[in-house]
Amino acid sequence: MHKDLRESPDYAAVAEHLRRLHEPAFGRPHHVTDLVATTDASRIVVTGSVYDELDGLPRTALYEVRDGALRALTSGGGSAKAARLAPDGSSLAFLSDRAKDEVFQLYLLADGQLGEARPAPAVPGTIEYLAWSPDGTRILLGVAGLGAEMADAQGSGTVGSGESGPPSWYPEVETGTPEDAWRGVWLYTPASGELAKVSPDGLNVWEAAWSGSGHVLAIASEWPSEDDWYSAVLSRLDVSTGEMTELLRSDVQLGLPAGTSDGRRAAVVEAACSDRLIVAGDLILLDLVAGTRRAVDTAGADVTAVQWIDGTRLGYIGQRHLDSVAGIADAGAGPLPETITAKELAASEQSWASWFYPAGAFTSDGQVVVVRDDYDTPQQIAIVGTGAEQVLASLAHAGTDYLRSVAGSATNVSWSAPDGTAIEGVLCTPAGAGPFPLVLHVHGGPIGAHQRSWMMRDHAVPLLVSRGYAVLLPNPRGSSGRGQGFAAAVVGDMGGADTHDYLSGIDAMIKRGIADPARIGTMGVSYGGFMSAWLVTQDQRFKAAVVGSPVTDWHSFTYTTNIPRWGLWFLDNADPEEIGNQVHTRSPVMHASRARTPTLLTAGAKDRCTPAGQAREFYQALINHGVDSELAIYPGEGHGVSRFPAVTDYLTRLVTWFERYMSA
């Protein structure tokens, strides 16, 4: 019988650490996302995450930046998110689940003041995003059925999984594609109250944006499974007739569509991606009248957000190396020129990523409103660009002061891989001189990126640093910020050259006197979990590993995940029925006999992306080979651990595992 971890001094210490961080901000936002602004920045609205206590997920609420502070715009039960201002700034549309938990519907707040919002008619399902038409008369709604799959970036599972369902004894039944698995586009007309679906049945729309006031740009596929997003195409929908016209298909992925108010031009980002909703790549302009398209030269930045400022100027935000950047591409009023070179407005080592990648809102005069932070700087809402920078509000409080006092510092670092490729990353260290015990922290993806951000957006990083560990967070080949050639280098070779990008980083930290070679660990979630499991089978230097939501057996993964084609694409399009290809040679479980590293494995029971059986397989293989291992499967979690008190339990297990085998 296992001892209850909650009775341990370590659990009490971690709980106290989290209390000191979060309690001073109870009842007000501790983190904000999804910033929107009017073209003159006279109104700026964000979605804030709010803990009233450390239990479950935070609720979300809307806040407006006023007089140097965040003023609440929504009240009442449930959560509110996805605020969108009407073109004239007078009305605010947003989503709330106040009528039914985790089922979001449309609400309107007419005067911009805190008060009772007016509900629109309910749609069948939940609304994921919304957008006002350029003339301000209609609102586009992206509607998902309650059986629609969520991306692993959202925690995996299905949209309606939080609903109370049948009794506990009732079987889990799958019979192909359920009727409520689809996503579509609806339109609501506030003046008349008319609500109607405009996308055709039998088409799944993942993402949509206005193209003039009579058409919609849609990233769409013929089927609704998460795997189908990877081959979705860009089309244009006539909202009057329902006719779809294909505009662009790609060998990689498409996202972030944006159209001009006159409907003449469109933009989209083309990128090799490993996760839906996490898109960073090349910026493509389309002339919808002439039928031409051009790539925009952004000087190597991977574009992560786009916004038409007017009919000719397209603002973009992205990541270049470890920096956040913003610029404007001016396509002119005539036919698209052969070469379009963007003008850069601002660049910063600080992160502008309130969720995953850099984002923000452009003003008509070429300024950019962003949510920015740094490892030791809590989020600030600021205006950057051609003029002097201006901080409008800050999320600092007594809890962030506490965390800054114990979390050391962070710096950008680089080193050379064995083949000479320059690899970059972020190094977080305690006060004092090294060498320190070092934990390698592998990001998810594999196509993703670290930037210096508030405590690296991971409770584990400052907690480890506060206990005397250095944490290295690399951006190996496959990461964003270095162009599509660098990102695509991991496609077809996951667990190949990227392996040595990590090992050479550890070697560099040892050589520089930062890392103690006798105390090296590794950790990560998703691809970070796969790579941490893979590393301990390839190199025996690691004294401890914490492997979260991993893939450890690509063969069984193919037949249990909701994204099997994604996995095979990243494994050189291997056939799982053939022996000897990457499905087998890149599976950590197939090399478990080489492992000597004590490994803690964690997983969520609701994870459809990397099912919990993947963690169990590697745990069982290590135990069978006499390697210390522990498995923790969280019943209420999906992809990763995000709900309290499970977060406290996970962090306690993580720090005690490293302290047991490589004490600081």
Side-chain angles (χ1 to χ4, degrees):
M1 182 176 180
H2 293 283
K3 182 179 178 181
D4 189 339
L5 186 69
R6 294 170 295 178
E7 299 175 357
S8 70
D10 289 312
Y11 187 94
V14 171
E16 174 64 10
H17 169 84
L18 294 169
R19 185 197 66 78
R20 292 190 65 181
L21 166 61
H22 287 293
E23 190 176 81
F26 280 176
R28 60 188 178 120
H30 72 275
H31 183 83
V32 297
T33 60
D34 199 15
L35 180 148
V36 293
T38 53
T39 57
D40 61 359
S42 60
R43 296 196 66 188
I44 300 168
V45 180
V46 295
T47 298
S49 295
V50 181
Y51 282 114
D52 299 304
E53 57 181 334
L54 292 183
D55 184 28
L57 293 172
R59 61 181 173 89
T60 56
L62 303 183
Y63 295 85
E64 184 164 359
V65 179
R66 292 186 186 174
D67 301 323
L70 295 177
R71 177 179 175 180
L73 287 176
T74 54
S75 60
S79 285
K81 65 179 184 179
R84 295 295 181 266
L85 290 159
D88 64 3
S90 63
S91 296
L92 184 75
F94 66 94
L95 305 178
S96 177
D97 67 348
R98 61 185 60 177
K100 190 174 185 181
D101 189 36
E102 297 186 30
V103 176
F104 286 86
Q105 301 290 347
L106 175 66
Y107 289 78
L108 294 168
L109 198 58
D111 59 2
Q113 302 295 319
L114 177 64
E116 191 62 35
R118 173 169 59 89
V123 300
T126 188
I127 304 173
E128 295 184 309
Y129 58 90
L130 64 104
W132 288 89
S133 61
D135 61 11
T137 62
R138 292 185 289 184
I139 302 174
L140 178 155
L141 306 173
V143 179
L146 297 183
E149 295 179 337
M150 293 193 296
D152 58 344
Q154 298 171 297
S156 191
T158 55
V159 168
S161 58
E163 287 198 303
S164 58
S168 59
W169 59 265
Y170 198 81
E172 180 180 334
V173 179
E174 293 190 17
T175 56
T177 303
E179 293 181 1
D180 61 355
W182 297 81
R183 288 175 163 89
V185 174
W186 292 61
L187 293 184
Y188 174 63
T189 305
S192 66
E194 181 184 0
L195 175 70
K197 183 183 179 186
V198 294
S199 60
D201 292 337
L203 186 77
N204 195 78
V205 180
W206 299 97
E207 193 176 358
W210 285 101
S211 176
S213 291
H215 292 81
V216 167
L217 301 170
I219 305 293
S221 61
E222 294 182 357
W223 292 98
S225 79
E226 196 67 24
D227 223 16
D228 290 300
W229 173 79
Y230 293 90
S231 56
V233 303
L234 174 67
S235 296
R236 193 174 190 232
L237 167 68
D238 186 320
V239 299
S240 298
T241 66
E243 181 182 356
M244 297 285 290
T245 303
E246 184 176 308
L247 300 177
L248 180 65
R249 64 174 58 233
S250 175
D251 292 335
V252 288
Q253 286 70 54
L254 300 170
L256 308 175
T260 55
S261 59
D262 61 10
R264 296 176 58 87
R265 288 178 174 165
V268 71
V269 173
E270 184 178 36
C273 302
S274 45
D275 302 85
R276 182 168 66 87
L277 303 177
I278 300 179
V279 177
D282 294 333
L283 180 56
I284 308 297
L285 290 184
L286 299 95
D287 186 321
L288 301 182
V289 177
T292 57
R293 65 175 180 263
R294 300 285 187 269
V296 177
D297 180 1
T298 59
D302 282 326
V303 173
T304 57
V306 296
Q307 176 191 335
W308 284 102
I309 301 171
D310 52 37
T312 63
R313 293 184 299 159
L314 178 68
Y316 71 88
I317 297 174
Q319 182 168 337
R320 182 189 301 118
H321 294 275
L322 294 167
D323 292 349
S324 301
V325 298
I328 294 177
D330 194 335
L336 292 177
E338 288 295 324
T339 301
I340 303 174
T341 301
K343 177 185 177 182
E344 192 160 300
L345 297 177
S348 174
E349 286 190 345
Q350 291 185 317
S351 169
W352 297 345
S354 58
W355 183 55
F356 196 89
Y357 280 138
F362 284 84
T363 61
S364 56
D365 63 354
Q367 301 277 80
V368 191
V369 188
V370 299
V371 179
R372 69 181 187 184
D373 58 4
D374 206 331
Y375 182 74
D376 58 357
T377 304
Q379 285 184 317
Q380 299 173 334
I381 298 168
I383 297 179
V384 301
T386 54
E389 293 189 3
Q390 181 182 1
V391 177
L392 304 177
S394 170
L395 270 70
H397 54 78
T400 59
D401 292 344
Y402 156 71
L403 199 58
R404 290 178 62 186
S405 72
V406 301
S409 59
T411 186
N412 295 346
V413 292
S414 63
W415 61 91
S416 293
D419 64 358
T421 301
I423 306 299
E424 301 166 338
V426 179
L427 175 69
C428 304
T429 53
F436 305 104
L438 177 77
V439 176
L440 176 74
H441 189 305
V442 183
H443 67 58
I447 300 177
H450 289 299
Q451 280 187 294
R452 275 205 335 257
S453 55
W454 171 243
M455 299 302 161
M456 302 309 293
R457 295 195 181 88
D458 186 339
H459 281 107
V461 174
L463 182 59
L464 284 167
V465 174
S466 74
R467 294 183 170 223
Y469 294 87
V471 181
L472 176 64
L473 303 99
N475 284 343
R477 66 197 75 199
S479 298
S480 304
R482 304 275 294 274
Q484 287 301 287
F486 191 80
V490 74
V491 179
D493 189 39
M494 190 164 49
D498 52 346
T499 302
H500 303 286
D501 296 343
Y502 296 109
L503 296 177
S504 59
I506 294 170
D507 291 337
M509 297 306 108
I510 293 172
K511 186 175 181 179
R512 297 173 195 178
I514 294 164
D516 178 355
R519 293 180 293 170
I520 303 294
T522 183
M523 64 173 287
V525 175
S526 194
Y527 163 79
F530 155 73
M531 179 52 67
S532 291
W534 177 249
L535 285 172
V536 302
T537 70
Q538 304 301 302
D539 194 304
Q540 296 183 1
R541 75 175 74 191
F542 297 98
K543 303 305 179 187
V546 178
V547 172
S549 303
V551 179
T552 67
D553 181 347
W554 290 105
H555 188 274
S556 62
F557 169 84
T558 301
Y559 298 108
T560 55
T561 182
N562 64 345
I563 50 171
R565 284 174 285 169
W566 165 85
L568 299 178
W569 178 44
F570 276 82
L571 296 171
D572 200 26
N573 294 310
D575 184 344
E577 293 189 6
E578 294 180 359
I579 303 300
N581 57 35
Q582 288 189 22
V583 168
H584 304 278
T585 61
R586 298 287 170 87
S587 290
V589 75
M590 298 298 180
H591 305 277
S593 62
R594 302 179 187 175
R596 300 293 182 271
T597 303
T599 302
L600 167 65
L601 292 122
T602 67
K606 296 182 178 180
D607 194 345
R608 296 169 64 90
C609 172
T610 56
Q614 290 295 306
R616 184 176 293 280
E617 284 192 44
F618 199 56
Y619 161 76
Q620 193 69 40
L622 293 176
I623 291 294
N624 289 346
H625 288 290
V627 179
D628 286 353
S629 186
E630 182 176 303
L631 173 67
I633 298 177
Y634 293 91
E637 298 291 336
H639 197 65
V641 179
S642 56
R643 291 165 173 79
F644 283 95
V647 170
T648 309
D649 181 277
Y650 165 72
L651 291 171
T652 304
R653 293 181 191 278
L654 181 146
V655 296
T656 56
W657 194 262
F658 284 121
E659 289 176 348
R660 183 185 308 171
Y661 294 102
M662 42 180 284
S663 173

